């Protein structure tokens, strides 16, 4: 009942540019059903067809529900015999005309051109609703949307970045190598961006792509201007869980065994907090911390020894640290 009620409420709220609160809708339905249970009343819910007919008749406020109830009472007590022989097809035609205004062909067309996955979800949900009923159709659409959401989390977008230098200002920006042919990688450095939270759901996928990129790049052999390193662009990582932290620790050990540093730039606050807690745990158990703040080491007068594991506020700071000193 709530699923159908909220769906129809959300549809008309968007149609009339109004806000809707799911908690308030649930509270109202629950309270109505509690009171109705004391009087042997039918369960209270909202329906697409009845709402569409009501809106098509010009209803704009809750007063329409009171007027509709009065009309229904008048029909029940005075006009029942007149409607006894009315064909159901007449009632169906009224519902079809009212509901037809809800069908948005433009949305289907745009979904087909912009996001094919959304189009197929919409189409299957529409067919399920048409053939099996509103509640089952909504459940099918909701289930498919959740599966697509999980797919996006489990297989996030990642990119290998290269630098693009502005010919006039000399400013350096970093772009996806696959999308910007003019972008060039730094020799010996893999600049890798993860555009999702790093959790147990996508840990295996991200690590597999990272290891593949490391194998293809051959960082140690190509190191010239910079110490060989993997730099993680973390501006897209909003959260990290224990599995993600363990993956970073395993990656750091894997790289250090091969003489490759691990750095992270643009790390967000929640992720930084999790890393600091993990490092406190590692130090307590006599293990090397990972991705420590580079400026903290500098403030303590400690030199960064390569292969290193550190994080910086920006990518430029990370590359400055990784830059090899010029020979005299």
């Amino acid at each position: 009942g709530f699923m159908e009620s909220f769906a129809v409420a959300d549809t008309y709220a968007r149609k009339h540019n109004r806000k809707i609160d799911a908690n308030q809708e649930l509270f109202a339905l629950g309270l109505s059903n509690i009171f109705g249970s004391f009087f042997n009343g039918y369960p209270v819910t909202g329906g697409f067809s009845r709402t569409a007919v009501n809106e098509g008749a010009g209803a704009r406020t809750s007063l329409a529900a009171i007027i509709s109830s009065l009309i229904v009472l008048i029909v029940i007590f005075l006009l029942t015999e007149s409607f006894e022989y009315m064909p159901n097809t007449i009632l169906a035609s009224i519902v079809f005309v009212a509901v037809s205004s809800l069908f948005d062909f433009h949305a289907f067309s745009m979904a087909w051109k912009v996001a094919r996955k959304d189009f197929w979800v919409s189409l299957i949900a529409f067919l399920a609703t048409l053939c099996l009923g509103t509640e089952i159709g909504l459940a099918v659409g909701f289930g498919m949307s959740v599966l697509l959401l999980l797919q996006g989390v489990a297989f996030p977008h990642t990119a290998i970045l290269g630098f693009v230098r502005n010919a006039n200002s000399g400013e350096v920006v970093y772009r996806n190598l696959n999308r910007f042919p003019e972008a060039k990688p730094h020799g010996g450095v893999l600049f890798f961006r993860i555009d999702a939270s790093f959790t147990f759901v996508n840990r295996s996928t991200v690590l597999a792509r990272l290891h593949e990129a490391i194998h293809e790049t051959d960082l140690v052999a190509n190191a010239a201007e910079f110490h060989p390193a993997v730099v993680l662009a973390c501006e897209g990582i909003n959260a990290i869980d224990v599995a993600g932290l363990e993956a970073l620790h395993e990656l750091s050990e894997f790289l250090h065994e091969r003489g490759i540093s691990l750095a992270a730039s643009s790390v967000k606050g929640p992720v930084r907090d999790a890393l600091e807690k993990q490092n406190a745990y590692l130090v307590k158990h006599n293990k090397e911390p990972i991705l420590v703040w580079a400026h903290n080491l500098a403030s303590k007068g400690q030199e960064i020894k390569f292969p290193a594991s550190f994080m910086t506020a920006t990518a430029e700071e990370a590359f400055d640290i990784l830059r090899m000193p010029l020979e005299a």
Side-chain angles (χ1 to χ4, degrees):
F2 171 70
M3 186 183 294
E4 182 178 358
S5 297
F6 182 74
V8 67
D10 181 62
T11 299
Y12 283 101
R14 287 187 284 109
K15 183 176 181 179
H16 296 287
N17 296 320
R18 296 181 181 179
K19 294 181 179 180
I20 184 171
D21 185 354
N23 291 329
Q24 185 178 359
E25 294 294 319
L26 182 61
F27 178 79
L29 284 175
L31 198 62
S32 299
N33 281 305
I34 288 173
F35 278 104
S37 66
F38 290 104
F39 304 98
N40 295 324
Y42 284 106
V44 177
T45 185
F48 262 114
S49 57
R50 292 182 294 277
T51 305
V53 171
N54 207 23
E55 197 263 351
R60 292 295 180 270
T61 67
S62 301
L63 181 61
I66 299 175
I67 297 174
S68 298
S69 301
L70 293 175
I71 293 175
V72 169
L73 286 175
I74 293 173
V75 170
I76 290 174
F77 287 109
L78 302 178
L79 301 174
T80 304
E81 295 181 357
S82 301
F83 287 96
E84 182 178 0
Y85 300 105
M86 179 179 288
N88 288 334
T89 52
I90 300 298
L91 298 177
S93 63
I94 297 174
V95 173
F96 270 111
V97 170
V99 173
S100 62
S101 62
L102 297 176
F103 193 82
D104 191 350
F105 288 97
H106 174 71
F108 269 86
S109 176
M110 184 176 68
W112 175 258
K113 296 177 181 178
V114 178
R116 292 289 174 88
K117 291 181 180 179
D118 291 342
F119 170 81
W120 291 115
V121 170
S122 301
L123 181 61
I124 293 173
F126 168 72
L127 294 176
T129 302
L130 194 65
C131 300
L132 304 175
T134 305
E135 292 185 358
I136 295 178
L138 287 172
V140 169
F142 176 78
M144 293 190 64
S145 298
V146 170
L147 289 176
L148 285 178
L149 181 64
L150 290 176
Q151 183 191 37
V153 174
F155 302 95
H157 179 266
T158 57
I160 300 175
L161 306 181
F163 71 95
V164 179
R165 190 180 301 276
N166 189 302
N168 296 323
S169 64
E171 180 186 4
V172 173
V173 294
Y174 296 93
R175 295 289 183 265
N176 188 342
L177 291 176
N178 291 331
R179 290 179 175 269
F180 293 85
E182 65 272 20
K184 300 177 182 179
H186 286 296
V189 178
L190 173 65
F191 196 13
F192 192 84
R193 190 183 69 204
I194 306 170
D195 295 327
S197 295
F198 195 23
T199 65
F200 73 97
V201 181
N202 55 30
R203 161 190 167 141
S204 299
T205 302
V206 172
L207 284 181
R209 294 177 184 175
L210 254 173
H211 283 294
E212 181 182 358
I214 293 169
H215 177 72
E216 293 177 352
T217 307
D218 196 359
L219 301 174
V220 177
N222 293 325
E225 183 182 357
F226 300 93
H227 290 280
V230 172
V231 180
L232 300 177
C234 300
E235 59 265 24
I237 303 178
N238 296 318
I240 190 170
D241 64 0
V242 175
L245 292 170
E246 290 178 348
L248 290 178
H249 189 261
E250 293 170 5
L251 178 64
S252 179
E253 291 182 341
F254 171 82
L255 294 174
H256 283 194
E257 291 174 357
R258 291 157 178 77
I260 302 172
S261 299
L262 175 64
S265 66
S266 305
V267 183
K268 292 184 177 179
V271 180
R272 200 163 57 242
D273 294 341
L275 284 168
E276 290 175 355
K277 292 177 182 177
Q278 183 200 34
N279 285 337
Y281 176 84
L282 292 174
V283 171
K284 184 178 179 180
H285 290 78
N286 299 318
K287 295 182 179 180
E288 286 294 324
I290 64 168
L291 298 178
V292 295
W293 265 110
H295 68 79
N296 285 350
L297 297 176
S299 63
K300 295 177 182 178
Q302 300 179 10
E303 286 189 15
I304 296 179
K305 298 180 180 180
F306 296 95
S309 181
F310 61 91
M311 62 178 168
T312 59
T314 64
E316 288 76 12
E317 292 179 27
F319 283 109
D320 286 341
I321 293 173
L322 292 170
R323 195 182 305 276
M324 292 184 181
L326 297 175
E327 296 182 2

